[in-house]
Amino acid sequence: MPILHVVTGDGIIFDYPLTRAKMTLGRSKNNDLPLKDITVSRHHAEIKKDERGYLILDLGSYNGTRLNGKLIQTAPLHFGDKVQIGLTRLTFLEKKTLGSGALDSLILTTDGEFETGEQKIVESSPRRTYGESRELLASLGKGTDRTASEKRAGVTGEASLSDLARMNKVLFVLYEISRQLNQITDFDQLLKKIMDLVFVVIDADYGFLVLLGGRDGKELIPVVVKHQEGLGKKGKEMKASKTLIKKVIRDKVALLTSNAMADTRLDGAKSLYLQKIKSAMCVPLWRKDKVIGVIELGTSRLENHFNQDDLELLKAIGSQMAMVIEQAALNEQIREEERMRNRLERFHSPQVIEMVLKGDQEAKDRIMDPKELTATVLFMDIVGFTNLSERMPPREITILLNHFFSRMTDITFHYDGTLDKYIGDGLMAVFGAPMQKDDDAVRAIQAALDMRKELGLMMASTSDDKKFDIRIGINTGKVVAGNIGSPKRMDYTVIGDPVNVASRLESIGEPNQILIGEETYRRTKDRFLVRPVGPKKVKGKRDAVLVYEVIG
């Protein structure tokens, strides 16, 4: 049975079986797979099965759906494919292959809790990161673990050099952990790289990283398992005790145990005995004030017990790792917002974009959902474009249109209008969608007047054989605005009778004439010089439409 292996932007991991022929994914609770992710649309994507296999479809989401790194509208799913939905990553797997990698190389056994007795426990707090790192480096510099016999033997200088070398390694590792954040975008690869760096400064036989996940957020999910080179084969199954892990998570402490088989605290931890661990340490990973997982290292060599400095170092690295996890999620959110901004800039003014981006996610989603509202629609068209294009080479026509539309679009955005679409040699703009304002009709007419004025300035420096006129139609009324289309292609647009009337008004206009409908006139008659044109019969309307001309 196929399964989606889900890793959310905040590190929650769980598996979702595909038991239905069709399932939806999104932030809304009424989806089959709800995703608590602010960058996911309420109804984001759909996975369905047909006779050919499984398909994934984007449902006109705000941030898009990526399959193996590429934006898609609809695409077949193959086992092993990676899907990115907002900050959430999903891997399409078969159940029998789900346990590959860390999931089957580390087995978390059920052991008894710690027995009461002497415990070597160190306080752990998300607020002590800087102090811990500074104290750690200071302790390394002093050589705190140098024994009296070593000092008597005259190895102080060599030990100092050893301490200095290790301190350099520590600084290097802490620096590399931060640097990798900008070098590696894949979350899993980032965690693996950090675990590799841990082994540079701490001589451990094995190590693993476990995050809290599952549907309830309490399941222990192994995400990285590493063995020391030469001491264990990659992918070798290893048993680990929940005793250490649960105590660290429950009590929010860092724990160090040496000679674990003789430690009365661990009498209930059967897997520690089976694993023959002589020394182990486990520290929490923090996200703000919440423990989101643990990192544990262990060694079974009698001559290689961990010490207090090792624990402090692992705590510092754990704090860095937690910050990297948090920053990785923030970086992805910033990238999603930038992609959103780039798409919005094609159609909306900067002011509208800021209003959309600063609103909450529910507002963002609902802005693009089809809904009824009152808007003012503007159609603008070049008069006699066919004759013009016959006289000019295609390249010159393209340059002329791009220059013209650039200036007309800037005017539209200046008055907070939305560019609905370019239609051949014309454009359609909307004022009042996605956000309504009381003066939408006024701003539409101001934009039309500026367009006519701008055209005059353009034509003043244009040769006679390239000059042209425009005509504009404007109408106000109830429309349906939103993302409309199919899962393969959706566009933000408005539909309704007022849209059709605005188009017809433009088509009956004279060169450089601005015609408006009755509702637009009613809302703006006190702001502009307007003359009645009278009732006009337009295509698609049974009754005549009252038409007015804007003079200035």
Side-chain angles (χ1 to χ4, degrees), residues 2 20-23 47-55:
R20 300 182 181 181
K22 179 180 177 181
M23 62 166 291
I47 294 177
K48 65 179 183 179
K49 183 181 181 182
D50 59 19
E51 64 279 0
R52 296 169 296 176
Y54 283 87
L55 293 172

Side-chain angles (χ1 to χ4, degrees), residues 174-226:
L174 295 177
Y175 165 75
E176 278 294 301
I177 289 175
S178 299
R179 191 176 73 86
Q180 293 300 328
L181 182 61
N182 297 320
Q183 300 290 324
I184 303 176
T185 57
D186 183 84
F187 184 73
D188 295 331
Q189 291 298 322
L190 184 62
L191 296 181
K192 290 177 182 177
K193 180 63 177 179
I194 294 175
M195 184 63 81
D196 290 340
L197 291 170
V198 171
F199 274 61
V200 171
V201 291
I202 300 179
D203 186 14
D205 291 350
Y206 79 94
F208 58 81
L209 189 153
V210 173
L211 295 180
L212 287 170
R215 300 306 293 271
D216 60 358
K218 297 180 180 180
E219 184 180 349
L220 298 174
I221 308 292
V223 292
V224 181
V225 175
K226 180 175 174 62

Side-chain angles (χ1 to χ4, degrees), residues 246-379:
K246 285 187 174 181
K247 182 171 183 64
V248 168
I249 293 173
R250 182 185 66 240
D251 298 342
K252 298 181 179 180
V253 295
L255 178 64
L256 168 66
T257 176
S258 296
N259 196 13
M261 288 191 297
D263 194 331
T264 58
R265 290 175 297 143
L266 304 176
D267 287 345
K270 300 174 184 177
S271 64
L272 286 175
Y273 179 80
L274 295 174
Q275 198 68 26
K276 297 181 180 179
I277 293 174
K278 303 297 181 181
S279 184
M281 55 184 176
C282 188
V283 302
L285 298 177
W286 294 91
R287 168 165 291 144
K288 297 180 180 177
D289 293 330
K290 181 181 178 182
V291 175
I292 61 172
V294 300
I295 180 171
E296 180 177 328
L297 299 181
T299 177
S300 57
R301 287 173 283 166
L302 290 172
E303 76 283 359
N304 189 40
H305 286 194
F306 297 130
N307 56 44
Q308 187 70 27
D309 283 349
D310 292 322
L311 183 63
E312 292 298 333
L313 174 56
L314 189 59
K315 283 174 61 184
I317 292 175
S319 297
Q320 288 285 101
M321 186 180 291
M323 287 191 293
V324 164
I325 293 172
E326 179 75 17
Q327 190 61 47
L330 291 175
N331 285 352
E332 184 59 32
Q333 186 173 341
I334 290 170
R335 286 191 287 268
E336 289 294 337
E337 184 173 300
E338 186 61 30
R339 284 193 283 265
M340 184 193 305
R341 182 183 292 274
N342 290 338
R343 286 195 295 273
L344 289 171
E345 283 177 346
R346 296 173 55 198
F347 305 104
H348 304 294
S349 70
Q351 293 87 346
V352 171
I353 293 172
E354 287 304 313
M355 292 174 68
V356 171
L357 294 179
K358 288 180 179 179
D360 58 31
Q361 186 64 27
E362 197 70 23
K364 293 177 187 177
D365 289 339
R366 292 191 179 279
I367 280 174
M368 296 303 166
D369 280 352
K371 60 182 177 183
E372 186 177 277
L373 48 76
T374 299
T376 299
V377 183
L378 179 152
F379 277 87

Side-chain angles (χ1 to χ4, degrees), residues 93-134:
L93 298 170
E94 286 185 284
K95 187 175 183 179
K96 63 181 181 181
T97 64
L98 182 64
S100 60
L103 295 175
D104 69 346
S105 60
L106 179 69
I107 307 300
L108 298 175
T109 63
T110 303
D111 299 314
E113 293 297 325
F114 280 85
E115 300 291 337
T116 59
E118 183 182 355
Q119 297 186 2
K120 189 180 292 184
I121 295 172
V122 179
E123 178 187 356
S124 181
S125 169
R127 299 182 180 86
R128 295 192 62 219
T129 305
Y130 174 74
E132 287 172 354
S133 301
R134 184 174 58 188

